[in-house]
Amino acid sequence: MTNVYSCNLHVHTCLSPCGDLDMHAGAIVEEALLQKLDIIAVCDHNTAENVCYVVKAAENTPLCVIPGMEVTTREEVHVLALFERIEHLETLQAYVYEHLKGLNDEKAFGMQVIVNEIGEVEGFNERLLIGATEVSLESLVDKIHEYGGLAIAAHIDRPSFSVLSQLGFVPAHVPFDALEISARLTLAEARSRFPELAGYTFITSSDAHFIEDLGKTRTRMNLMEPSLNEIRLALEKKEGRYVLE
């Protein structure tokens, strides 16, 4: 039997250079439960080093944490990469790190803090996580799929760092699994604004960098259970799974 699950598939932690320091694993899980979210995906900029700690913090709670990353392509397009297993995400992280140049400037971009599930600082990431990788959009989406993940074009309605702002269109040859709408629009408003994208599944996520934004918007999905495979079926509108709009 399927049920409706409340999902926020784009949440940052304090490891993202623009993420608030209060966005550590324990606080994220606590707020997600308070907001009655069933599924969240942790998607820091070009890194995944805090994901395992959010997964650990959610153990023995009803919250499902999907391992993810928000990758910036060579074209400065943001893409969400979601995976079933942390090991697959770590493979993508190694690939991203190979193609990410530069060092972080804390004064300009803020600290990039690795914090464990009990709030202890494990270290700092010195890479320029706010930067763009040297990977093209097409190559990134292919690599995400090669590793078994889902590739979602992030916040397509935003005037920067989206596939539409950077390219002016969604390339037909790039096989996105879904397109994400920011909290600025409802899904109904997005459908009206982007009629040319009617063939794509839309989701909406908070892109939360601050605790108070975690429940700002959500996508409701009809699923059998909270898992990436079920989300995949919903995005494909298969076997009775689907996104509610």
Side-chain angles (χ1 to χ4, degrees), residues 148-169:
L150 296 175
I152 299 173
H155 41 63
I156 65 163
D157 56 305
R158 276 182 42 181
S160 59
F161 301 113
S162 72
V163 65
L164 292 182
S165 71
Q166 301 308 109
L167 303 183
F169 61 98

Side-chain angles (χ1 to χ4, degrees), residues 12-14 19-28 31 209-212:
H12 290 269
T13 79
C14 52
D20 189 75
L21 294 179
D22 288 336
M23 292 292 281
H24 56 85
I28 289 170
E31 183 66 18
H209 290 75
F210 298 87
I211 282 291
E212 59 266 27

Side-chain angles (χ1 to χ4, degrees), residues 62 72 109 128 135 203 222:
T72 306
F109 305 119
L128 187 62
V135 182
I203 67 167
N222 201 54

Side-chain angles (χ1 to χ4, degrees), residues 113-202:
V113 194
I114 303 167
V115 181
N116 68 22
E117 72 277 13
I118 58 174
E120 297 173 337
V121 175
E122 295 282 344
F124 299 84
N125 191 309
E126 297 182 353
R127 293 176 172 83
L128 187 62
L129 299 180
I130 199 70
T133 67
E134 300 172 330
V135 182
S136 71
L137 177 61
E138 183 177 3
S139 295
L140 175 65
V141 172
D142 286 346
K143 190 64 67 172
I144 292 168
H145 288 156
E146 178 185 334
Y147 297 155
L150 296 175
I152 299 173
H155 41 63
I156 65 163
D157 56 305
R158 276 182 42 181
S160 59
F161 301 113
S162 72
V163 65
L164 292 182
S165 71
Q166 301 308 109
L167 303 183
F169 61 98
V170 179
H173 67 282
V174 177
F176 287 116
D177 296 289
L179 307 180
E180 180 196 55
I181 306 301
S182 76
R184 303 177 185 192
L185 297 177
T186 65
L187 291 181
E189 289 170 337
R191 286 296 182 195
S192 177
R193 180 171 168 180
F194 304 112
E196 72 279 12
L197 301 177
Y200 290 92
T201 298
F202 283 4

Side-chain angles (χ1 to χ4, degrees), residues 80-94:
L80 303 180
L82 308 182
F83 294 88
E84 186 73 40
R85 300 173 61 85
I86 289 179
E87 299 94 302
H88 299 154
L89 176 61
E90 289 173 341
T91 302
L92 180 68
Q93 178 181 262

